[in-house]
Amino acid sequence: MTQAPARLTTPVRALVGFICVLVLVDTLFFTALTPLLPHYVAAAGLTKAGAGILVAAYPLGTLIGALPGGLLASRLGSRRVVLIGLALMSASALVFGWASSPVVLDAARFVQGLGGACTWAAGLAWLATAVPAERRGELLGVAIGAAVAGALLGPLAGVIADQVGTGATFSGAAVAGAVLMAVAFLVPGPRDAPPQGLSAAWPAMRDRQIGTGMWLTTLAGLAFGVLDVLAPLRLNSLGASALVIGATFLAAAALEAALSPLTGRLSDRHGPLTPVRLSLAVAVAVSLLAPLFAPAALLVTVLIVGMPSFGTLYTPAAALLSAGADRLRLNQGLAFGLSNLAWASGQGAGAAGSGVLAQATSDLLPYTLLASACLATLVVLRPRRRAAPP
């Protein structure tokens, strides 16, 4: 008989809701750039490579802040580091909204990435230590689903910014950040844990479970780095408006948000690699088709159906990292700092590299490299046959 899942207390539910809103707001203003990319290409005089750098500035900030953010969460506690992240996010979004210089735009996105490194590492560590272990994958999936909902709303915010102005729209991030800073004092505080230094994180990276979680996070970030740069520009070249581009990413994110908690439950019940293999199989096909399909309506369909295959890698990857940290007695803040490091490496390389490669050759090359990475991962993680007993 299957044991009923542990019920959450009201304070823990409030904490789960807070973390969901926290990551939703962060991803909302991160993905708001997607439909605005053609606008900034025109307004700031960016080349395709310059657009890639602008998209890559946020993950570069997260890359630089990943391990320091995890270390701060271990030393200062999750609540304080969440507050630091919110302050950086609010200030940088305000600057980004009113800037027009490429240097200032890149710098603001970089600082926003630093803030995201703090809020994600500390927020997910706060959540992972508060919920029952047997429901951790599911509830991490709920939080990641909320982040995807932010990604869903982000393109809509970008479309609004395209109509009413970027200054007023991105100023909303500062207001949202201030509200969340106040709410952070109303939810249950994080559990006390012995502080750890970075010396505890390096051996963990050699662990198979944590290493697999990090690679899957890197691969998902790499995929979205490629898609966030090349897909909007490709749709624009096929005649799609900012509204259509925003609606495409909106619909894909809606599907991904619905799938993330289901992926978490599947991960809890059948192991994290089961949903991973399904996602990778679809991801290979999408990577090969995206640079080839036209007209815009056909490409929109492929992106809506296919992009969630990359996003659904995040939940089982987070479950692998958190479980591995428990087994190695690694502070959860450091574990999710490693997750940020992995995501930012992939997202930054995907965004900057795809723009440069596409400008030098065509969109087909970066997409083919992405498909190859997904296929190689699928082969490595294929189910192993057990040896027959003698």
Side-chain angles (χ1 to χ4, degrees), residues 141-193:
V142 170
I144 291 171
V148 175
L152 184 156
L153 296 172
L156 180 60
V159 171
I160 293 172
D162 190 55
Q163 299 297 318
V164 305
T166 56
T169 304
F170 283 94
S171 295
V175 176
V179 171
L180 285 172
M181 290 172 76
V183 175
F185 292 99
L186 304 178
V187 296
R191 292 182 181 178
D192 293 331

Side-chain angles (χ1 to χ4, degrees), residues 2-369:
T2 304
Q3 187 177 3
R7 297 186 64 182
L8 303 181
T9 64
T10 299
V12 172
R13 287 179 182 175
L15 175 62
V16 171
F18 170 72
I19 299 300
C20 287
V21 176
L22 178 71
V23 295
L24 183 150
V25 169
D26 182 80
T27 54
L28 189 155
F29 288 99
F30 167 58
T31 57
L33 177 63
T34 302
L36 289 171
L37 202 55
H39 161 77
Y40 281 112
V41 166
L46 300 176
T47 63
K48 186 175 283 189
I53 292 171
L54 179 61
V55 174
Y58 179 102
L60 179 60
T62 303
L63 178 66
I64 300 298
L67 291 180
L71 181 62
L72 285 173
S74 172
R75 296 289 178 85
L76 301 179
S78 296
R79 192 193 324 252
R80 291 176 182 173
V81 179
V82 163
L83 293 172
I84 293 171
L86 285 170
L88 291 173
M89 184 270 297
S90 299
S92 60
L94 192 63
V95 171
F96 185 84
W98 296 100
S100 58
S101 163
V103 174
V104 177
L105 290 168
D106 291 342
R109 290 286 285 182
F110 176 82
V111 174
Q112 188 183 0
L114 289 175
C118 292
T119 53
W120 274 84
L124 292 185
W126 195 347
L127 177 64
T129 56
V131 301
E134 65 270 20
R135 295 191 63 185
R136 185 178 294 163
E138 175 191 350
L139 294 172
L140 284 171
V142 170
I144 291 171
V148 175
L152 184 156
L153 296 172
L156 180 60
V159 171
I160 293 172
D162 190 55
Q163 299 297 318
V164 305
T166 56
T169 304
F170 283 94
S171 295
V175 176
V179 171
L180 285 172
M181 290 172 76
V183 175
F185 292 99
L186 304 178
V187 296
R191 292 182 181 178
D192 293 331
Q196 293 177 331
L198 290 179
S199 59
W202 303 126
M205 295 176 68
R206 297 193 294 268
D207 179 77
R208 182 177 178 84
Q209 191 175 24
I210 288 180
T212 302
M214 289 184 67
W215 168 245
L216 292 173
T217 305
T218 302
L219 184 60
L222 183 72
F224 281 111
V226 173
L227 288 162
D228 286 350
V229 173
L230 299 185
L233 297 179
R234 168 75 170 160
L235 287 168
N236 184 63
S237 70
L238 293 173
S241 65
L243 180 62
V244 171
I245 296 171
T248 300
F249 281 78
L250 180 76
L255 181 57
E256 185 184 334
L259 290 174
S260 288
L262 298 177
T263 305
R265 292 194 195 104
L266 191 61
S267 176
D268 285 337
R269 295 174 185 176
H270 301 285
L273 296 184
T274 299
V276 165
R277 295 183 187 111
L278 297 173
S279 295
L280 288 172
V282 178
V284 172
V286 173
S287 301
L288 294 174
L289 294 175
L292 303 176
F293 274 20
L298 185 58
L299 179 56
V300 164
T301 303
V302 170
L303 292 174
I304 290 173
V305 174
M307 282 198 293
S309 65
F310 299 107
T312 49
L313 293 174
Y314 285 126
T315 296
L320 283 166
L321 277 163
S322 185
D326 269 356
R327 181 170 49 80
L328 298 176
R329 297 184 179 179
L330 178 70
N331 185 280
Q332 292 285 338
L334 283 174
F336 286 107
L338 293 175
S339 176
N340 281 336
L341 180 68
W343 173 82
S345 300
Q347 182 89 15
S354 64
V356 171
L357 288 174
Q359 186 166 315
T361 57
S362 71
D363 289 5
L364 185 61
L365 178 58
Y367 276 117
T368 302
L369 293 174

